[in-house]
Amino acid sequence: MAKILMVLYPDPADGYPPQYARESIPELSKYPDGQSLPTPDNIDFTPGELLGCVSGGLGIVDWLKSEGHDVVVTSDKEGEDSEFDRELPDADVVISQPFWPAYLTKERLEKAKNLKLALTAGIGSDHVDLDEAAKRGITVAEETYSNSISVAEHTVLMVLALVRDYLHQHDISRNGRWDIAEAVSRSYDLEGMDVGVLAAGRIGRAVIERLAPFDVKLHYFDQHRLPEDYEKKYNLTFHESAEALVPHVDVLCIHTPLTPSTEGMFDEKLLNTMRHGAYIVNPARGAIMDRDAVVRALESGQLAGYAGDVWYPQPAPEDHPWRTMPHNGMTPHTSGSSLSAQARYAAGTREILEDFLANRQIRDEYLIVDGGDYAGTGASSYRQSK
Ligand code: NAD
C-alpha cells in the first residue's frame, strides 16, 4: 500500500461543488498530433466537474482509498509547519498542480526518503528540482498534451485583448461610460503584425495554427527546428535564437519550459532589443522574466502590454507588481485548468497511478525524469540543446 500526498488548490470560497455553467463538455477523440487521450481503466467523475481543488481530489480519492492506499489531500503547502511538509517524509507519491505548486526543492527531496513518483497534474514540472529527483531515482511525470490546447486558446485570447485594448474598453462599458475616443486610443488590428512564437512545442504550434488565419506574419525559434513542410504551410520565418527572434516582432508569445537556461532570460537588455511598443504574452512560466524589468518596460512604453497567467512564486503575493503595472492583462494561473483540461489531466493522473501502482511502465510521453535521467518528453523538451 502506498501513501499518496496530493496538494491541490483550495475549494471555491462559496462552497463545493460550484454551480456549473454547462452540463457537459465536448468529447475529443485524440490530441492534434495523434497522441491518444488518457486511457485509465476507469474514472469516477463526470467530465466537466471541478476536480483540481481539494474537494474535487482529481476524482481519484475514493478509488485510491478503496484500494487500501493512504491518501492525504491538502492545500497547505508553504513553510516548515505546513501539512505538506509534515506529511512528506513518508509519502511514496506526491501529486501537485502547477497552478498551486508544491515546490519539491532539494531540501524537501532530502526529507522525502520514501518518494518514488512526483506527479504533475497538468504540464510543467519545474516546481520539482529535476536534477535532484534524477539523482535520487525519483520518477517525475506529467500529462503531456492534457492542457496544451487550453493554454493556446488562452494565448490567442490575451494577444487579441492586448492589441485591441479590450480590458480597458470593457472597464469603460462596465462603468456606465461611453468615451469612444479614450477607448480606442490604444486599440490596433492584429492583421499584418509580426508575431513571434518562442518555442514551437505542443502549445507553440497550436498558437501558430490558431493565429495564422488572422493574416499575421509568423516568426519562431525552437531549439528543435520544425519540418520544412510545416514552415512552408504557415509561412514561418525561423530565427536562430531567442535573441535573433525578438527584434523582429510586434507580438511575442513565450512557450518554453522553465529551465536553468530560460530562467531570467527576459532581462532589461533583451527587452530593450524588442520593437518599441511590442506586446508579450507569456503563459509559460513567470520566472522566465525579470519581474521588475517587465514593470519598467511597461512604464517607459518599451512594452505596450504584457499578459500571461504565470507568476513566481505562486500564489503571487497581494502586492506583486504585476497585479497593478500599466497595460497588463494578467490572470491567476488558470489557462491550463479549465474544466475541460481538468477532465483530461485527472484521467491522465489516474492512468499514470494505475500503471505505477501495478508496476507497469508509464507511457513514455508522460515521463520527464526516469531511471536517473531525463526521459520521454523530458529528454526532448526540458533537456537544453545548448
Ligand atoms: P512541449 O514539451 O510540447 O514544448 C516545449 C518546447 O520548448 C519544445 O519544442 C522544446 O524544444 C522547446 N524548448 C525548450 N527549451 C527551449 C529553449 N531554451 N529555447 C527554445 N525552445 C526551447 O510543451 P508544451 O505543452 O508546449 O508546454 C510548454 C510549457 O508551457 C511547459 O513547459 C509549461 O511550462 C508551460 N505550460 C503552462 C501552462 C499554464 O497553465 N499556464 C499549462 C501547460 C504548460
Side-chain angles (χ1 to χ4, degrees):
M1 293 306 111
K3 172 166 173 178
I4 292 151
L5 175 54
M6 291 166 62
V7 180
L8 302 178
Y9 45 78
D11 285 357
D14 50 1
Y16 184 92
Q19 178 97 41
Y20 295 108
R22 298 177 57 79
E23 276 140 36
S24 63
I25 58 171
E27 245 179 71
L28 307 180
S29 55
K30 58 179 168 30
Y31 291 118
D33 70 349
Q35 181 187 313
S36 63
L37 291 161
T39 51
D41 293 341
N42 207 349
I43 56 167
D44 301 331
F45 60 83
T46 305
E49 286 176 346
L50 178 61
L51 302 167
C53 64
V54 169
S55 292
L58 295 174
I60 54 176
V61 174
D62 291 345
W63 161 65
L64 286 169
K65 286 186 173 164
S66 72
E67 300 276 313
H69 301 294
D70 181 10
V71 187
V72 178
V73 188
T74 182
S75 61
D76 180 22
K77 69 183 181 82
E78 300 302 342
E80 292 212 345
D81 200 34
S82 65
E83 190 171 359
F84 175 55
D85 275 77
R86 288 198 305 273
E87 299 287 350
L88 185 61
D90 60 346
D92 298 282
V93 179
V94 167
I95 304 175
S96 150
Q97 300 167 106
F99 325 103
W100 191 262
Y103 294 104
L104 279 169
T105 56
K106 184 168 189 250
E107 295 69 38
R108 276 180 165 156
L109 289 173
E110 251 158 39
K111 284 194 221 157
K113 301 284 184 222
N114 272 1
L115 192 62
K116 294 161 196 74
L117 175 65
L119 184 40
T120 303
I123 299 175
S125 296
D126 49 274
H127 58 280
V128 181
D129 183 328
L130 296 177
D131 290 333
E132 188 62 24
K135 237 188 260 168
R136 293 176 175 274
I138 296 166
T139 296
V140 182
E142 55 185 52
E143 293 85 28
T144 300
Y145 237 137
S146 60
N147 57 14
S148 301
I149 302 304
S150 322
V151 177
E153 290 187 1
H154 207 82
T155 304
V156 173
L157 156 86
M158 288 181 152
V159 168
L160 289 168
L162 289 185
V163 173
R164 301 204 58 90
D165 206 22
Y166 167 71
L167 291 168
H168 180 205
Q169 295 168 12
H170 182 61
D171 275 349
I172 289 176
S173 115
R174 268 177 97 95
N175 293 330
R177 299 168 60 209
W178 196 263
D179 302 283
I180 307 288
E182 178 194 319
V184 298
S185 61
R186 294 180 65 90
S187 183
Y188 299 91
D189 291 354
L190 183 61
E191 185 181 27
M193 285 193 173
D194 288 290
V195 177
V197 172
L198 178 56
R202 292 166 182 82
I203 298 174
R205 289 195 305 276
V207 168
I208 287 170
E209 290 154 23
R210 280 155 182 74
L211 286 181
F214 284 89
D215 290 331
V216 293
K217 289 170 249 159
L218 288 163
H219 304 248
Y220 84 102
F221 167 65
D222 191 288
Q223 60 176 0
H224 305 299
R225 191 166 176 174
L226 293 167
E228 211 181 317
D229 56 344
Y230 189 95
E231 287 188 355
K232 270 206 186 119
K233 183 170 178 192
Y234 294 102
N235 203 10
L236 296 177
T237 303
F238 175 74
H239 298 263
E240 294 290 337
S241 63
E243 293 75 11
L245 166 71
V246 305
H248 297 284
V249 301
D250 303 298
V251 180
L252 180 70
C253 304
I254 301 178
H255 302 297
T256 53
L258 177 63
T259 67
S261 65
T262 61
E263 186 164 2
M265 182 185 222
F266 280 82
D267 56 9
E268 189 139 1
K269 192 166 156 232
L270 188 58
L271 290 171
N272 281 340
T273 67
M274 296 187 74
R275 288 180 182 165
H276 185 79
Y279 304 88
I280 293 182
V281 172
N282 170 21
R285 284 295 177 260
I288 293 170
M289 315 305 292
D290 173 332
R291 185 192 74 173
D292 297 334
V294 170
V295 178
R296 285 193 298 274
L298 287 165
E299 284 170 353
S300 72
Q302 171 60 12
L303 285 181
Y306 180 92
D309 72 333
V310 283
W311 311 64
Y312 62 100
Q314 289 193 176
E318 247 180 79
D319 61 353
H320 194 295
W322 287 5
R323 291 183 189 272
T324 50
M325 63 191 177
H327 312 302
N328 88 77
M330 295 299 296
T331 49
H333 195 162
T334 49
S335 65
S337 198
S338 59
L339 296 174
S340 324
Q342 289 177 44
R344 292 187 293 272
Y345 69 67
T349 299
R350 174 138 177 190
E351 177 189 341
I352 292 171
L353 278 178
E354 284 174 356
D355 285 342
F356 170 79
L357 294 167
N359 241 338
R360 292 190 299 255
Q361 183 59 35
I362 294 170
R363 264 208 236 184
D364 200 52
E365 60 256 40
Y366 292 156
L367 292 174
I368 303 300
V369 165
D370 193 40
D373 200 357
Y374 289 96
T377 296
S380 56
S381 292
Y382 283 77
R383 182 179 286 140
Q384 298 294 282
S385 61
K386 58 173 183 173

